[in-house]
């Protein structure tokens, strides 16, 4: 029996902007936020549903959904967005875009990158406890971000005055370039219209004409549109792929599902929708991120708990805005809210990959917080500030009267001699 070496050309190629998990071999795609990818175990597995619980006073959950869609466009994936509370086309036009230079990074990170990166330690940053601790790794409270990159240029933006050879070579070079897995986005930039038109992002309109039949509701209309999109664009893994073709990934984003704008006959229609959505994505090259206003169902917690059992991952965003307890605390100066992880995706394994691969939530710790800087969103490990603050003292100085008497005692020298009657002008040599 002879063994043959596998040919790399015969191996199935991965979709653009994806990679395999080092823990269980699952196909992963990025959410656009490096810290969220780390919490999920390297990224969101293809075929899963991520549920984000919205906050009552802010739109941080919508920001995470925008990151997910913007990363899909940057990676060359097919994106589909559905929303009844806001205009889906307007959400796509307001997506953030790539940071192209070091000046697009936050101000506190520019100095560290110009000085030689985060790993470069200056003289003041070194540990001064003992020489044996000088080479220890610095404790990281956040995940390192990728370096800025140039945005993918569309194939039809070549100059018309150039010859055909130059334009063809430039188009082939841009098409052969590998798509990034996780890009670095700048919140102050917006996606160009040419890139948005070329991406062919789909807007799903689940509004039913009228609820006449039991099956006619917004959830049923939306699941039919998603099923049609999967079958017609060859995203189903049950159907064979055409020869010499590379599979692509479908990203489905649903904003504020189960809000009062969504109409249905009974609450059980929402359960049917999540059950059907999870079944569709399990046998397709696609993933979904759904935001839901869970604060509207505080009086019926079992309603949200059932939905959590029907999805693969559940996270919650709780901001400090509008809370009197958190606004008066000292830690609000460093963070903007708490980030809770209720459920992690488990595909082809018994434990979630984050237990072995995650930096932030390794070992099941859930002490996470997020901060929204001017140009990016980050999730970090939550730490309380020093007790009493940096500028305040823990103990009060002694009163001025006692300090003055001590100074007077120190200023009067002790004379040499018995009974204190020594030679005038000379001090005791043993007095320090």
């Amino acid at each position: 029996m002879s063994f043959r070496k596998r040919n790399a050309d015969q191996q199935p190629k991965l979709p653009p902007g994806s990679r395999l998990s080092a823990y269980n071999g699952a196909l992963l795609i990025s959410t656009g936020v490096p810290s969220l990818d780390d919490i999920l175990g390297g990224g969101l597995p293809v075929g899963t549903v991520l549920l984000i619980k919205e906050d009552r006073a802010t739109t941080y959950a919508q920001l995470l959904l925008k990151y997910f869609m913007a990363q899909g466009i940057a990676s060359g994936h097919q994106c589909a967005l559905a929303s009844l509370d806001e205009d889906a086309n307007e959400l796509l036009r307001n997506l953030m875009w790539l940071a192209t230079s070091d000046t697009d990074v936050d101000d506190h990170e520019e100095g560290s990158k110009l000085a030689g990166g985060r790993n470069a330690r200056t003289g003041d940053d070194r540990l001064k406890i003992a020489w044996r601790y000088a080479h220890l790794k610095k404790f990281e409270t956040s995940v390192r971000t990728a370096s800025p990159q140039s945005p993918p240029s569309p194939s039809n933006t070549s100059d018309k005055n150039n010859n055909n050879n130059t334009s063809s070579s430039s188009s082939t070079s841009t098409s052969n370039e590998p798509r990034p897995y996780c890009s670095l986005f700048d919140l102050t930039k917006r996606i160009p219209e040419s890139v948005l038109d070329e991406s062919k992002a789909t807007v799903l309109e689940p509004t039913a004409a009228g609820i006449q039949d039991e099956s006619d509701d917004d959830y049923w209309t939306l699941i039919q549109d998603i099923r049609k999109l999967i079958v017609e664009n060859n995203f189903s893994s049950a159907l064979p792929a055409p020869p010499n073709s590379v599979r692509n990934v479908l990203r489905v984003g649903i904003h504020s599902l189960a809000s009062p704008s969504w109409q249905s006959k009974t609450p059980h229609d929402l359960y049917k929708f999540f059950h059907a959505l999870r079944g569709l994505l399990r046998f397709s090259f696609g993933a979904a991120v759904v935001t839901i206003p869970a604060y509207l169902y505080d009086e019926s917690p079992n309603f949200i708990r059932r939905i959590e059992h029907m999805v693969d991952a559940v996270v919650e965003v709780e901001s400090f805005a509008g809370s009197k307890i958190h606004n008066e605390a000292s830690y609000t100066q460093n963070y903007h809210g708490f980030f809770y992880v209720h459920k992690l995706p488990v595909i082809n394994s018994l434990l979630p990959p984050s237990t072995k691969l995650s930096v932030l939530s390794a070992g099941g710790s859930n002490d996470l917080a997020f901060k929204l800087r001017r140009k990016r969103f980050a999730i970090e490990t939550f730490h309380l500030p020093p007790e009493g603050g940096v500028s305040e003292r823990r103990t009060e100085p002694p009163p001025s009267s006692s300090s003055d008497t001590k100074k007077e005692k120190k200023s009067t020298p002790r004379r040499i001699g018995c009974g204190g009657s020594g030679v005038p002008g000379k001090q005791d040599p043993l007095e320090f």
Side-chain angles (χ1 to χ4, degrees):
M1 182 177 179
S2 61
F3 296 93
R4 291 184 179 181
K5 186 178 180 180
R6 291 183 177 181
N7 191 0
D9 297 334
Q10 297 178 357
Q11 296 296 324
K13 296 182 180 180
L14 297 178
S18 64
R19 66 183 181 187
L20 296 178
S21 174
Y23 183 77
N24 51 17
L27 186 63
L28 304 178
I29 59 175
S30 176
T31 59
V33 183
S35 51
L36 183 56
D37 291 341
D38 176 80
I39 293 172
L40 296 176
L44 183 63
V46 172
T48 58
V49 181
L50 171 62
L51 182 68
I52 303 177
K53 293 184 178 181
E54 297 180 2
D55 187 55
R56 185 184 299 271
T58 58
T59 58
Y60 290 113
Q62 183 186 123
L63 182 63
L64 293 177
L65 180 61
K66 287 183 177 180
Y67 267 108
F68 179 72
M69 303 304 291
Q71 181 61 53
I73 296 177
S75 300
H77 298 164
Q78 179 71 30
C79 299
L81 181 62
S83 176
L84 290 183
D85 291 357
E86 296 187 14
D87 188 8
N89 293 308
E90 190 67 21
L91 290 176
L92 291 175
R93 286 191 293 266
N94 291 331
L95 292 179
M96 67 287 295
W97 198 231
L98 303 176
T100 56
S101 61
D102 292 337
T103 57
D104 296 336
V105 191
D106 290 334
D107 298 333
H108 72 282
E109 292 184 2
E110 289 181 7
S112 60
K113 287 193 174 184
L114 294 176
R118 295 184 178 180
N119 294 332
R121 292 188 178 182
T122 59
D124 299 335
D125 195 23
R126 294 176 181 174
L127 295 175
K128 299 180 180 180
I129 301 175
W131 60 270
R132 68 184 70 179
Y133 303 129
H135 299 287
L136 289 180
K137 183 180 178 181
K138 189 176 180 181
F139 181 73
E140 297 287 346
T141 59
S142 61
V143 180
R144 299 179 182 179
T145 57
S147 59
Q149 59 191 4
S150 59
S153 58
S155 59
N156 56 357
T157 56
S158 59
D159 192 1
K160 295 182 180 180
N161 297 328
N162 296 337
N163 52 13
N164 296 331
N165 296 330
T166 307
S167 61
S168 61
S169 61
S170 62
S171 61
T172 54
S173 61
T174 54
S175 61
N176 293 331
E177 291 180 358
R179 294 285 185 171
Y181 177 75
C182 184
S183 305
L184 180 62
F185 293 95
D186 185 3
L187 293 178
T188 60
K189 293 185 177 182
R190 292 293 174 262
I191 182 172
E193 294 183 1
S194 59
V195 177
L196 185 60
D197 295 338
E198 189 185 4
S199 64
K200 298 180 181 180
T202 306
V203 175
L204 302 177
E205 298 179 357
T207 304
I211 303 179
Q212 299 177 359
D213 192 6
E214 185 179 356
S215 60
D216 292 338
D217 55 14
D218 294 341
Y219 303 125
W220 183 84
T221 306
L222 180 59
I223 200 65
Q224 292 299 325
D225 294 341
I226 297 175
R227 181 183 288 108
K228 182 179 179 181
L229 192 63
I230 291 175
V231 174
E232 291 182 354
N233 294 274
N234 197 22
F235 290 114
S236 177
S237 59
L239 301 177
N244 300 327
S245 64
V246 180
R247 293 270 195 179
N248 202 355
V249 178
L250 173 64
R251 291 178 179 242
V252 180
I254 305 175
H255 174 252
S256 292
L257 190 69
S259 66
S261 301
W262 296 79
Q263 299 181 5
S264 62
K265 278 279 187 179
T266 60
H268 298 283
D269 295 335
L270 184 61
Y271 302 149
K272 296 177 182 178
F273 170 78
F274 276 106
H275 187 73
L277 178 62
R278 191 177 183 182
L280 278 176
L281 296 179
R282 273 293 189 272
F283 298 96
S284 63
F285 287 85
V289 172
V290 183
T291 65
I292 183 171
Y295 57 88
L296 297 177
Y297 303 94
D298 291 339
E299 298 180 357
S300 56
N302 294 330
F303 179 77
I304 300 297
R305 196 171 301 169
R306 287 183 179 180
I307 296 177
E308 292 180 0
H309 288 295
M310 297 181 181
V311 297
D312 300 286
V314 182
V315 297
E316 182 181 358
V317 179
E318 181 186 355
S319 65
F320 298 150
S323 177
K324 296 181 180 179
I325 300 176
H326 295 309
N327 286 334
E328 296 176 357
S330 58
Y331 50 79
T332 56
Q333 299 177 359
N334 300 327
Y335 306 100
H336 291 88
F338 291 118
F339 191 86
Y340 300 105
V341 180
H342 299 290
K343 188 177 181 181
L344 292 173
V346 181
I347 303 296
N348 302 332
S349 60
L350 297 177
L351 296 176
S354 59
T355 56
K356 295 291 184 179
L357 304 178
S358 178
V359 177
L360 297 178
S361 62
S365 61
N366 203 8
D367 49 345
L368 302 175
F370 69 90
K371 58 177 65 175
L372 180 62
R373 301 187 179 97
R374 188 171 66 92
K375 295 186 177 182
R376 72 184 185 95
F377 178 91
I379 304 172
E380 298 180 357
T381 305
F382 177 74
H383 292 287
L384 291 173
E387 183 181 357
V390 180
S391 60
E392 299 179 2
R393 295 175 59 92
R394 293 188 181 181
T395 57
E396 297 180 357
S400 58
S401 59
S402 60
S403 61
D404 294 337
T405 55
K406 289 182 179 180
K407 290 181 180 179
E408 292 178 359
K409 290 181 180 180
K410 290 184 179 180
S411 60
T412 56
R414 193 174 64 177
R415 302 298 179 86
I416 302 176
C418 298
S421 60
V423 181
K426 291 186 178 181
Q427 298 180 0
D428 189 353
L430 299 179
E431 181 71 16
F432 294 97

